[in-house]
Amino acid sequence: MAQYLISVLDDTTGSATDAEMAAIGEFNERLRADGHWVFAGGLAAPETATVVDARGGSPLLTDGPYVETKEYVGGFWIIEAPDFDVALPLAALASQRCNRRVELRPFLGA
């Protein structure tokens, strides 16, 4: 089985309604029941990020997000599916359940 990343695109942290959170919970249970679940999580606001660059030896730490954008990854799912044709409708359902745009990407070697 290949693994895919479903990234949730948002412009506001913690903006999910109670109904959206319930729908996400139901979607998570469906992923588990159907054998697609690997891991999922929500992310804190981009302002809480720290960029770490240790390419030159000693780490250089920079507060804040790596890029300044209007939208950012607010959460994600990692799923398993036999192929893209199975993963794509799961991503569509994820978008419906969280009421956000999502991006579907396969992991390398998938």
Side-chain angles (χ1 to χ4, degrees), residues 17-30 77 93-94 96-99:
T17 66
D18 290 342
E20 289 167 344
M21 291 304 294
I24 290 167
E26 291 170 7
F27 177 64
N28 290 343
E29 288 305 315
R30 177 176 173 180
W77 284 274
L93 189 55
Q96 290 173 345
R97 300 301 178 169
C98 71
N99 197 30

Side-chain angles (χ1 to χ4, degrees), residues 70-89:
K70 185 175 181 177
E71 289 184 315
Y72 54 87
V73 176
F76 63 92
W77 284 274
I78 299 173
I79 62 167
E80 287 186 329
D83 55 44
F84 184 79
D85 291 335
V86 173
L88 190 57

Side-chain angles (χ1 to χ4, degrees), residues 46-59:
E47 298 80 36
T48 66
T50 300
V51 178
V52 180
D53 184 355
R55 293 175 293 175
S58 296

Side-chain angles (χ1 to χ4, degrees), residues 88-107:
L88 190 57
L90 292 172
L93 189 55
S95 174
Q96 290 173 345
R97 300 301 178 169
C98 71
N99 197 30
R100 308 283 185 287
R101 294 183 323 124
V102 301
E103 176 185 82
L104 175 65
R105 294 175 68 180
F107 280 91

Side-chain angles (χ1 to χ4, degrees), residues 7-65:
S7 301
V8 178
L9 307 177
D10 204 349
D11 61 2
T12 308
T13 301
S15 62
T17 66
D18 290 342
E20 289 167 344
M21 291 304 294
I24 290 167
E26 291 170 7
F27 177 64
N28 290 343
E29 288 305 315
R30 177 176 173 180
L31 290 174
R32 286 182 183 100
D34 293 346
H36 297 294
W37 175 269
V38 175
F39 183 77
L43 298 173
E47 298 80 36
T48 66
T50 300
V51 178
V52 180
D53 184 355
R55 293 175 293 175
S58 296
L60 174 63
L61 308 177
T62 306
D63 290 337

